[in-house]
Amino acid sequence: MNDNLIFIGGLRDYKPTNEVSSWNFKTKIFQKLPSMNQSRFWHCVVLLNDNIYAIGGLALDEELTSVEMYSVSNGWKEIKNMITPRRHAGAIVLNAKIYVIGGYNGSYLKSVECYDPTTNCWTQCADTNEARDLCGATVHNGQIFVVGGFNGVRCSSTVERYDPQRDVWTKIWSLSIGMKCVNCISFDNQLWVIGGHDGGKCINNVSVYDGSNDKWLAKKSMPVAGYYYCFSALQN
């Protein structure tokens, strides 16, 4: 946001925090920003219309429905709560709306909900075909893709694609292995899957989705295996 990488909440000394700070790409300087109203970790964060949204997460042992919005001029303010409390969810922005996908709140979730900032309302969308905790999520070619995650039994290798016009989820070609805490990102007009955890260890796999042949192509592995759950691509 405005040449800054923003760090929002998380754990400090094993306790959830509401602290927020930024690191500027040009000056290489950290600075503190106004704190959130709610301490939270394992929450979702998205950027929409130059506002940052911190969504759900965990406060001690309670999953949250609360959502806060940050603007440079007004700081943090609470907005409409989600319908379902959740942590470990995926969240993306598409067509000026926020979609929150899956997660966990005592059970593994298939539920999906959508926030419209013009009405300050959350609405229920079609469920994913499979429950997904700690999945990767991104927008690619006007549709939402979710990758992997934990389904309550094992790390999933399945991938689903969401058509917002039809409100339909469709399973597409699966990954070669099941994984959670994986990052999925659209970059250079391609869908990339990076790192993650296969239930036993961190992995360094990198794959690219070939839509013309509906399959995944292996790329050069990351030099260090890891979760890589937060990931951003800077494009000029």
Side-chain angles (χ1 to χ4, degrees):
M1 181 181 184
N2 300 328
D3 293 321
N4 289 287
L5 186 61
I6 316 285
F7 300 84
I8 301 167
L11 286 176
R12 182 183 293 280
D13 298 325
Y14 303 101
K15 295 180 181 179
T17 179
N18 62 352
E19 294 178 6
V20 181
S21 60
S22 69
W23 183 78
N24 188 274
F25 286 101
K26 294 180 177 178
T27 64
K28 308 296 191 292
I29 293 174
F30 271 103
Q31 69 176 30
K32 284 194 172 182
L33 297 178
S35 296
M36 292 183 291
N37 297 291
Q38 170 72 58
S39 296
R40 64 183 81 220
F41 67 108
W42 282 123
H43 51 293
C44 304
V45 174
V46 297
L47 180 65
L48 173 60
N49 298 330
D50 292 325
N51 297 317
I52 297 172
Y53 293 79
I55 305 167
L58 192 63
L60 293 178
D61 58 353
E62 178 187 5
E63 283 85 10
L64 300 170
T65 58
S66 68
V67 183
E68 300 184 47
M69 182 184 74
Y70 173 81
S71 64
V72 173
S73 57
N74 297 317
W76 291 96
K77 70 173 185 178
E78 295 183 355
I79 61 172
K80 184 77 171 180
N81 285 359
M82 284 189 296
I83 301 166
T84 303
R86 64 184 82 213
R87 56 172 157 154
H88 301 168
I92 59 88
V93 171
L94 177 62
N95 300 330
K97 296 179 181 179
I98 299 169
Y99 291 82
V100 179
I101 304 153
Y104 181 83
N105 65 2
S107 60
Y108 297 92
L109 301 175
K110 295 181 178 181
S111 69
V112 179
E113 48 191 295
C114 174
Y115 176 74
D116 186 341
T118 62
T119 61
N120 190 31
C121 287
W122 291 89
T123 56
Q124 204 79 48
C125 301
D127 289 352
T128 54
N129 292 287
E130 185 177 325
R132 295 181 185 277
D133 173 53
L134 294 168
C135 64
T138 194
V139 172
H140 182 65
N141 292 337
Q143 296 185 318
I144 299 170
F145 287 74
V146 291
V147 177
F150 188 70
N151 59 22
V153 178
R154 64 182 66 86
C155 291
S156 175
S157 63
T158 63
V159 181
E160 298 187 46
R161 178 176 56 208
Y162 178 72
D163 183 340
Q165 305 301 321
R166 298 168 54 221
D167 189 29
V168 171
W169 287 94
T170 304
K171 283 190 176 183
I172 61 171
W173 195 279
S174 295
L175 298 164
S176 59
I177 58 173
M179 61 183 80
K180 62 181 178 179
C181 300
V182 61
N183 193 271
C184 181
I185 191 165
S186 181
F187 178 70
D188 196 23
N189 202 34
Q190 294 178 308
L191 184 66
W192 292 70
V193 171
I194 301 166
H197 196 281
D198 66 4
K201 63 182 185 302
C202 291
I203 57 178
N204 60 353
N205 292 18
V206 178
S207 300
V208 174
Y209 178 64
D210 180 1
S212 61
N213 293 311
D214 200 24
K215 64 180 181 180
W216 292 90
L217 305 176
K219 296 292 184 179
K220 183 175 176 61
S221 298
M222 295 281 289
V224 178
Y227 287 87
Y228 298 109
Y229 193 53
C230 297
F231 196 92
S232 181
L234 302 179
Q235 302 186 56
N236 295 323

